[in-house]
Amino acid sequence: MAGPQNAKGQQATAAPSSVPTTAPAIELRGISKAFGPVQANKDISISVQPGTIHGIIGENGAGKSTLMSILYGFYKADEGEIYIHGHETQIPDSQAAINAGIGMVFQHFKLVENFSVLENVILGVEDGALLRPSLAKARKALQALADEYELRVDPDALIEDLGVGMQQRVEILKALYRRADILILDEPTGVLTPAEADHLFRILEGLRAQGKTIILITHKLREIMEITDTVSVMRRGQMTATVKTKDTTPEQLAELMVGRKVLLHVDKAPAHVGEKMLEVANLRVIDDQGVERLKGIDLTIRAGEILGIAGVSGNGQTDLMEVLGGYAKATGSIRVNGQELDLTGKHSDARSRRKRGIAHVPEDRQSRGLIMEFPAWQNIAFGYHHEPEFQKNALLMDNAAMVEIAQDKMDRFDVRPPNPQLAAKSFSGGNQQKIIVAREIERNPDLLIVGQPTRGVDIGAIEFIHQQIVALRDQGKAILLVSVELEEILSLSDRIAVMFDGKIMGERLPAETDEKELGLLMAGVVNDKNAVKEGAV
Amino acid sequence: MEKMPKWADIALIPLLNLTLAFGISMLVILAIGQDPIEAVKLMVSGALGSTYGWGYTLYYATNFIFTGLAVSIAFKAALFNIGGEGQAALGGLGVALVCLYIPFPHWSVAIIFAMLGGAVFGAAWAAIPAYLQAKRGSHVVITTIMFNFIAASLLNYLLVNVLRPKGAMDPASAKFPETTNLPTFHEMLEPLGIAFSKSAPVNISLLIALLACVLVYILMWRTRIGYEIRAFGESPSASVYAGISPLKITMIAMLLSGGLAGMMSINNTMGESERLIINSIEGAGFIGIAVALMGRNHPFGVLLAALLFGFLYQGGGELALWMSIPRELVLVIQGLVILFTGALDNMIRIPVERMFIRAAKRKEA
């Protein structure tokens, strides 16, 4: 596989950090991988010293996951070599990766929900046909690991009864049980509360102290700064830099990721609030399984105000947005601009909601916000396809007008490439989101519901989308912002409500709270000293 | 970046698939000790070598256009309607009832009512599976296939016990009145001085089928309801977000689909047999699935695929008649075409895509 040009690449890779005393735990030389016309990884070389935490940071689609999949044997590199502890190693499949001492903790856990912790740990490495000896052995080994790394999990608990933080620990234990001494974690904090994330970092520090090597893949600059020793930045399939964490700043990393200077915080003037725009009272949702997802929500948003809803995902935020957006039934009362909404009947659908001046940027843009196979110009009318500007006459739609409107919006919202004929799926996450934001904001809604506006969106586009949301607020509109990113909630919101287990745990003003306090509320711990007093805003 | 140019997707791939299907068919003919070249010659001359052959090829193609459009509309809404056979059979009943019991002064009036009758009966037969799918989640594949059996039994019963004229020996309705008989190509072309085989069944229904292609295109790509059907077919969850009602779209798509399948009977029942006979659909409902697959659910593609299958049907019939090639082998050839154009499409597609990507790269370099 290796062509002659790799030999050159190898020299260029000369160790980036201090003089290594031992062979690097992992060394990649000139790794390239293409998927059809897309060059996912291009001539990537890194070297990770044993006993360190090495961060890999980059925007979505920069090629981080592809690189790790090559290391874990899911993909075969088109070119390049992998050295583990100084030995060239072929990794054709994940079994080979495990044999080489590599363990991987995926973003989406690979656990059997109705198996116990112990059963999950031995899955695939049972000693024989009978389970009992393997289970006994694993129980002992797990106990030893728990003592060594502070990784305590009840071995007999069923996975489905454990929280996400615990499930992640099981994944780490699985890797360690397979004698991994190189651990790769892919976006490990995406589903964790701040407290759980802190705990994870303590575990990782413990593992490092024991000489394990850890590769942390993330798009969160804060985590990189907090825990890594060295950091590699990826952009568009290439490794743009590898630096020591203590020698760099978040601003510098962001610039390396995006390729230009970016504003990491949101510039916004104080809010000028007006009349009550949204009033939610005692809102309850019971899902198909009979589980109460919303347990009596009360909320108010005024014109010219952004209310941020913080919370770990799955605590009712999605249900709240679905009710407001018109695709879930509920009981209670919602008033928009003083008028009651239909929550169960004929006018509880999404079209009626739009008529009432509610626009909606959904959490999941790929399965809700866009038809991925449709060209951009057809997506620009999506949800508003009854509007008169898209009709030619009583029978036909005006395709030419749709293309024109799409072109105009795409130009003004800087969607790249600005080609309305391209299918939605051919745009990057950030540009897909810009198409949705352009469509929803330009309707001039009274109330905008925004779910995870910047999930999977590159830093450059985040800046732009935040500016648009703030601009809408400044026009006197009400905005409900739901995000699992606390940084985003803190920097955008005028007021913050925290949701936990289908209830609002409390409201705070961003200036008077911090991630720690919000984190406690997100975990269901109430401490009312900073609560927003009635009418404080 | 596109994986390959559009012309390759639309023309090259089906062509390669067909070549493969025919190549293997010829090997099979060789294997049973017959001359494949002779067979091809016979098929082509039998289906396209005379106005008689053309007349049958186009007659079959008319059936397949209706059923192919029917399958493709439902497919655009992600509904796999394999009940075309039953819906067409019920459509035949609708056409027969209209022709038998309403006195018409002229065929031009009769055909409008017959189309309505066929469409309404076909749509009604699709409505029950559609409702069960939308409201109860009963899979439309299962229910439509069961409705095919029910339709066959129902027609059997009606033709034997109700519609059969007293004293008649075969399970069929009475002859339709003369005023409902549709003009054949022979009758239509004679005044223009063009000679067309008198015994070929192709009739004015072909023009209606062509019109249906145009109307389906406009419906799917130019109207709001078409937009909603396509959106729902691509992503039901996004459609709900956009305020598109799944119940409404499922019902509309299936009613349109059943209606088109039902309309097929103006060709075979009103145009050809001029009475309702048993098993009048002859598998055209199922061929419609292959036609829609091969035609990429696009009306123009459906038209081309229907012509191809019309050719296969007629040419295959000639083969069975004039060579000692068993009738079953004709089914094998049709099966191979369906296999290669439908099921094994990716077998050819992926290497061709790679070829184009390599070529594009070489160009860049």
Side-chain angles (χ1 to χ4, degrees):
Chain A
M1 271 278 146
Q5 68 269 42
N6 283 338
K8 246 191 292 164
Q10 182 187 328
Q11 278 166 0
T13 341
S17 48
S18 58
V19 187
T21 48
T22 49
I26 294 180
E27 190 178 356
L28 302 178
R29 292 186 191 167
I31 297 280
S32 291
K33 173 76 186 167
F35 296 102
V38 182
Q39 189 77 39
N41 285 162
K42 198 171 177 188
D43 193 22
I44 289 188
S45 302
I46 60 171
S47 123
V48 179
Q49 296 307 314
T52 63
I53 299 182
H54 189 105
I56 295 185
I57 195 164
E59 299 188 315
N60 283 67
K64 299 170 299 200
S65 295
T66 305
L67 188 64
M68 290 307 120
S69 297
I70 289 170
L71 194 51
Y72 200 63
F74 282 170
Y75 299 137
K76 191 167 169 32
D78 299 337
E79 284 170 30
E81 298 124 49
I82 301 171
Y83 291 80
I84 309 282
H85 295 298
H87 304 289
E88 183 169 1
T89 311
Q90 298 294 329
I91 305 182
D93 53 32
S94 52
Q95 192 55 49
I98 292 167
N99 293 342
I102 300 173
M104 181 117 173
V105 176
F106 293 92
Q107 194 173 359
H108 302 286
F109 306 143
K110 311 221 179 281
L111 296 169
V112 184
E113 291 266 313
N114 54 354
F115 274 21
S116 72
V117 170
L118 217 47
E119 286 166 330
N120 267 286
V121 165
I122 63 162
L123 192 65
V125 287
E126 309 88 352
D127 289 326
L130 292 177
L131 281 184
R132 194 184 289 270
S134 303
L135 285 171
K137 189 178 126 196
R139 188 182 297 275
K140 246 192 238 157
L142 233 52
Q143 186 59 48
L145 288 171
D147 293 342
E148 201 173 347
Y149 303 111
E150 297 274 317
L151 270 164
R152 255 166 248 289
V153 186
D154 173 9
D156 297 310
L158 292 184
I159 296 298
E160 58 195 4
D161 297 334
L162 296 179
V164 278
M166 280 294 179
Q167 293 189 13
Q168 193 171 52
R169 252 177 251 178
V170 177
E171 284 284 14
I172 295 172
L173 281 170
K174 261 170 70 181
L176 295 176
Y177 184 72
R178 285 159 179 73
R179 307 189 180 287
D181 71 338
I182 300 165
L183 207 56
I184 306 169
L185 295 107
D186 188 6
E187 300 279 0
T189 59
V191 288
L192 302 183
T193 63
E196 285 172 325
D198 281 344
H199 196 128
L200 171 69
F201 289 165
R202 280 207 300 282
I203 292 172
L204 295 185
E205 279 163 0
L207 289 167
R208 171 173 59 187
Q210 300 284 329
K212 304 274 183 199
T213 308
I214 293 161
I215 297 183
L216 179 71
I217 303 168
T218 181
H219 66 278
K220 292 182 187 166
L221 292 166
R222 201 173 54 92
E223 291 172 3
I224 290 288
M225 299 309 295
E226 194 174 321
I227 185 142
T228 62
D229 300 304
T230 44
V231 52
S232 297
V233 184
M234 288 189 74
R235 183 166 88 231
R236 291 188 193 154
Q238 284 173 298
M239 196 65 88
T240 50
T242 296
V243 288
K244 288 205 168 225
T245 309
K246 64 177 185 337
D247 300 335
T248 186
T249 61
E251 286 75 17
Q252 191 197 358
L253 288 177
E255 198 180 330
L256 284 166
M257 275 164 76
V258 185
R260 65 178 171 86
K261 281 218 182 302
V262 263
L263 224 53
L264 285 180
H265 61 97
V266 183
D267 260 339
K268 70 182 201 322
H272 296 285
V273 299
E275 291 297 305
K276 285 180 181 169
M277 199 66 101
L278 174 75
E279 295 160 86
V280 176
N282 195 25
L283 193 71
R284 289 173 190 275
V285 169
I286 295 173
D287 70 9
D288 297 339
Q289 271 97 50
V291 178
E292 195 171 31
R293 307 287 304 176
L294 291 185
K295 301 173 177 173
I297 297 283
D298 298 289
L299 279 178
T300 304
I301 310 180
R302 291 172 178 275
E305 181 186 35
I306 300 176
L307 175 70
I309 297 206
V312 179
S313 62
N315 277 292
Q317 304 97 311
T318 304
D319 305 270
L320 177 62
M321 283 193 289
E322 285 182 349
V323 171
L324 285 167
Y327 39 101
K329 309 255 185 256
T331 59
S333 142
I334 301 178
R335 292 160 81 85
V336 174
N337 240 335
Q339 285 188 311
E340 198 76 32
L341 289 185
D342 180 2
L343 296 184
T344 48
K346 207 165 160 276
H347 298 289
S348 65
D349 68 324
R351 196 179 155 199
S352 308
R353 291 286 194 271
R354 288 191 175 83
K355 278 193 197 147
R356 296 292 297 276
I358 304 177
H360 185 5
V361 177
E363 280 184 298
D364 188 335
R365 65 179 156 267
Q366 303 204 338
S367 78
R368 291 258 188 225
L370 295 167
I371 302 284
M372 301 304 279
E373 303 293 326
F374 277 14
W377 65 269
Q378 291 184 13
N379 273 302
I380 279 290
F382 194 51
Y384 300 95
H385 51 281
H386 291 272
E387 294 295 319
E389 75 249 40
F390 298 126
Q391 321 300 323
K392 191 181 247 166
N393 51 44
L395 286 177
L396 303 180
M397 293 188 88
D398 194 343
N399 289 0
M402 281 159 81
V403 173
E404 205 174 297
I405 291 168
Q407 184 71 66
D408 172 54
K409 282 189 204 278
M410 290 170 82
D411 287 342
R412 279 185 296 112
F413 277 74
D414 191 30
V415 177
R416 276 176 268 185
N419 178 0
Q421 301 295 347
L422 278 184
K425 64 176 179 189
S426 357
F427 291 92
S428 71
N431 284 303
Q432 287 173 359
Q433 191 72 322
K434 282 185 192 168
I435 293 174
I436 298 178
V437 168
R439 180 180 75 204
E440 300 298 323
I441 284 188
E442 298 254 306
R443 281 291 138 189
N444 203 16
D446 290 336
L447 169 67
L448 177 71
I449 318 163
V450 198
Q452 321 296 351
T454 54
R455 175 187 281 171
V457 168
D458 35 83
I459 295 192
I462 289 178
E463 194 185 355
F464 183 83
I465 289 167
H466 282 173
Q467 283 164 359
Q468 295 299 321
I469 293 173
V470 171
L472 191 70
R473 173 199 81 155
D474 292 343
Q475 290 166 33
K477 310 298 183 182
I479 289 156
L480 179 79
L481 166 75
V482 172
S483 175
V484 291
E485 305 280 349
L486 268 186
E487 277 179 72
E488 179 164 54
I489 292 279
L490 278 165
S491 59
L492 266 185
S493 312
D494 298 311
R495 199 152 48 88
I496 299 169
V498 183
M499 268 183 98
F500 171 75
D501 193 26
K503 290 187 290 265
I504 301 279
M505 297 307 290
E507 287 190 9
R508 298 288 184 272
L509 293 175
E512 295 170 9
T513 188
D514 53 25
E515 295 207 3
K516 201 172 157 212
E517 190 194 15
L518 293 178
L520 282 174
L521 284 171
M522 283 160 67
V525 183
V526 190
N527 171 4
D528 257 339
K529 79 176 163 40
N530 279 338
V532 176
K533 314 265 170 338
E534 195 61 37
V537 181
Chain B
M1 190 167 165
E2 294 294 324
K3 283 181 176 154
M4 60 176 156
K6 213 163 183 170
W7 63 266
D9 185 35
I10 293 172
L12 184 63
I13 301 254
L15 213 65
L16 286 170
N17 283 327
L18 278 180
T19 313
L20 268 176
F22 281 115
I24 293 180
S25 302
M26 286 171 83
L27 288 179
V28 174
I29 293 173
L30 200 65
I32 61 166
Q34 298 286 333
D35 181 357
I37 306 290
E38 195 60 29
V40 170
K41 273 188 192 156
L42 194 59
M43 267 186 96
V44 172
S45 69
L48 310 172
S50 62
T51 59
Y52 174 84
W54 271 104
Y56 267 96
T57 299
L58 293 175
Y59 165 74
Y60 291 127
T62 308
N63 286 341
F64 302 153
I65 291 172
F66 280 118
T67 54
L69 288 176
V71 174
S72 69
I73 283 194
F75 215 90
K76 278 283 172 198
L79 296 162
F80 196 7
N81 175 17
I82 50 179
E85 196 77 8
Q87 289 143 19
L90 261 286
L93 180 64
V95 168
L97 294 179
V98 166
C99 290
L100 285 171
Y101 295 111
I102 304 178
F104 290 107
H106 190 255
W107 65 264
S108 56
V109 188
I111 194 169
I112 292 167
F113 283 85
M115 275 164 63
L116 275 174
V120 167
F121 272 63
W125 204 245
I128 306 165
Y131 185 81
L132 289 173
Q133 166 81 60
K135 274 282 181 190
R136 293 271 175 272
S138 314
H139 205 290
V140 81
V141 167
I142 311 286
T143 47
T144 50
I145 206 164
M146 293 200 294
F147 266 64
N148 285 341
F149 289 108
I150 303 174
S153 307
L154 180 67
L155 272 139
N156 209 336
Y157 170 81
L158 288 175
L159 285 173
V160 170
N161 298 303
V162 183
L163 291 171
R164 180 170 54 95
K166 273 211 169 64
M169 296 292 285
D170 56 340
S173 78
K175 266 277 191 216
F176 298 161
E178 290 252 328
T179 49
T180 65
N181 292 355
L182 296 180
T184 62
F185 268 35
H186 168 73
E187 288 155 2
M188 286 156 62
L189 294 173
E190 205 172 29
L192 305 173
I194 302 167
F196 200 91
S197 165
K198 206 172 169 181
S199 47
V202 64
N203 59 71
I204 195 159
S205 305
L206 174 62
L207 303 185
I208 292 170
L210 295 177
L211 186 67
C213 287
V214 177
L215 290 179
V216 166
Y217 175 80
I218 292 173
L219 176 83
M220 295 308 286
W221 278 276
R222 291 283 182 275
T223 71
R224 204 163 56 220
I225 196 73
Y227 178 86
E228 293 193 340
I229 289 176
R230 288 183 295 119
F232 178 75
E234 291 291 350
S235 172
S237 56
S239 299
V240 173
Y241 155 83
I244 297 168
S245 155
L247 172 67
K248 184 180 129 190
I249 296 302
T250 304
M251 290 305 293
I252 289 179
M254 282 298 283
L255 290 178
L256 287 169
S257 178
L260 276 164
M263 268 209 270
M264 173 197 135
S265 285
I266 60 165
N267 186 44
N268 66 340
T269 300
M270 192 179 186
E272 203 254 346
S273 59
E274 296 175 346
R275 58 182 186 146
L276 185 60
I277 56 173
I278 207 149
N279 192 21
S280 60
I281 310 304
E282 295 180 295
F286 291 118
I287 300 278
I289 297 169
V291 168
L293 263 176
M294 193 177 171
R296 298 286 158 77
N297 300 310
H298 190 286
F300 186 65
V302 164
L303 172 62
L304 292 181
L307 288 171
L308 171 75
F309 275 88
F311 160 78
L312 282 176
Y313 233 63
Q314 171 57 13
E318 292 287 307
L319 216 54
L321 204 59
W322 298 108
M323 282 176 86
S324 46
I325 287 175
R327 195 161 256 288
E328 286 71 24
L329 196 78
V330 179
L331 290 178
V332 170
I333 298 176
Q334 285 167 5
L336 282 168
V337 170
I338 296 173
L339 187 70
F340 277 96
T341 56
L344 293 181
D345 193 47
N346 275 338
M347 194 175 80
I348 288 290
R349 177 175 300 276
I350 289 165
V352 172
E353 267 175 10
R354 283 215 190 105
M355 203 183 72
F356 273 102
I357 287 163
R358 264 202 301 273
K361 266 194 186 162
R362 219 171 296 139
K363 223 181 197 174
E364 270 170 39

